[in-house]
Amino acid sequence: SPSPSTSLSPSASPSPSPLPSPSEFASVLITEIMYNPASTEDDWEWVEVHNSGSYPVDLSGWVLDDVNSDAHGRANIASGVIPGGHSAILYNADDITAADFTAAWGPDINLIAVTNWYDIRLNNDSDTVSLWSSFSDYSGDHQTHANAHTTVAYDDSGAWPRADGASIYLTDLTADPTDGANWALSAVGTPTPLGTGRQSTAAGGNSGNDIGSPAENTPPSPSASPSPSASPPSSSPSASTSPSPSPSTSSSPSASPSPSPSPSTSLSPSASPSPSP
């Protein structure tokens, strides 16, 4: 008789994916700031952020701001995701488009639009720029930045590099971003932790005189996320021919033993007992 074990396969149901741990979302850092571009201000100001975690971080509902007296009335990042190990450029969506930015700085840049940039307008001498992970964290905190998710207070004196037409970048992603000695000016051809310094192109309204290293991220391959077709790999022949309880030596190629008891189907005389005399 057919073996009932063939219908029981614990590997048939895929294991649930592990849930992200809260620490995975605490790894978003400001890694580059274009606060004094050679191109029109504040149109071509931008901020690079990097996600060093393993899971994507959704910036929907986050807030970008500096220290000023004009607080935002709502979150100014409507949408945008940074995959694990990737970066994004927060750009002034009030004055330029994503197509403008791409024309000036090249393709494969993960662009996230920021609105109400007029109330940010990064200072050219010193300023504090921060990201808050929700408007509730930001509300009432736009001058102290005590509840910010990540903060950089840059200066153009002391250990900080002086930016004039070039961005400043964090030289080591594990270094203290509050120490100006850990920042440097972008220079054409100079590698950075996330890219290489280059000069912008005179396109999309950009003057072509900005120097920066906005990270270029190749979009994640679709194969990075499990495909439905990857669930249980097609069963190997051995899976459908689970051990038969019958030790029959029948030469039949059939994987399942024949239900017929007729001795005529067996080629071996020893396969069925001889009748008693």
Side-chain angles (χ1 to χ4, degrees):
S1 63
S3 170
S5 64
T6 56
S7 60
L8 301 175
S9 176
S11 61
S13 52
S15 302
S17 300
L19 293 175
S21 113
S23 63
E24 294 288 349
F25 300 98
S27 48
V28 176
L29 289 174
I30 293 174
T31 50
E32 187 170 352
I33 308 171
M34 176 66 85
Y35 65 81
N36 188 15
S39 300
T40 306
E41 294 190 65
D42 53 358
D43 302 18
W44 290 95
E45 294 177 349
W46 47 266
V47 174
E48 177 188 80
V49 289
H50 179 68
N51 172 16
S52 61
S54 304
Y55 292 90
V57 174
D58 188 346
L59 297 191
S60 303
W62 287 45
V63 181
L64 177 73
D65 203 2
D66 67 341
V67 173
N68 62 69
S69 57
D70 299 318
H72 298 309
R74 60 183 64 85
N76 60 351
I77 300 178
S79 62
V81 174
I82 311 176
H86 286 69
S87 304
I89 299 298
L90 310 182
Y91 73 98
N92 179 356
D94 294 334
D95 296 321
I96 65 171
T97 64
D100 292 334
F101 198 99
T102 298
W105 287 106
D108 297 330
I109 298 176
N110 183 11
L111 296 174
I112 296 181
V114 178
T115 57
N116 202 29
W117 199 286
Y118 179 80
D119 285 338
I120 301 175
R121 289 173 295 167
L122 299 172
N123 296 336
N124 292 343
D125 48 8
S126 62
D127 207 343
T128 299
V129 58
S130 299
L131 263 176
W132 288 260
S133 58
S134 68
F135 184 74
S136 60
D137 284 349
Y138 166 81
S139 185
D141 192 47
H142 64 286
Q143 290 186 309
T144 58
H145 294 221
N147 300 326
H149 181 84
T150 181
T151 298
V152 173
Y154 64 83
D155 206 330
D156 64 352
S157 61
W160 288 88
R162 182 180 177 84
D164 188 5
S167 66
I168 61 172
Y169 67 91
L170 188 62
T171 57
D172 181 343
L173 300 184
T174 64
D176 179 4
T178 66
D179 185 350
N182 294 325
W183 292 76
L185 276 180
S186 289
V188 175
T190 300
T192 74
L194 298 172
T196 301
R198 57 193 185 277
Q199 187 166 337
S200 62
T201 301
N206 187 282
S207 69
N209 296 316
D210 295 343
I211 298 174
S213 49
E216 293 180 301
N217 296 294
T218 302
S221 167
S223 62
S225 12
S227 166
S229 61
S231 54
S234 70
S235 301
S236 64
S238 61
S240 60
T241 57
S242 44
S244 170
S246 169
S248 170
T249 56
S250 170
S251 60
S252 169
S254 171
S256 313
S258 171
S260 173
S262 172
S264 64
T265 59
S266 173
L267 300 179
S268 170
S270 61
S272 54
S274 301
S276 301

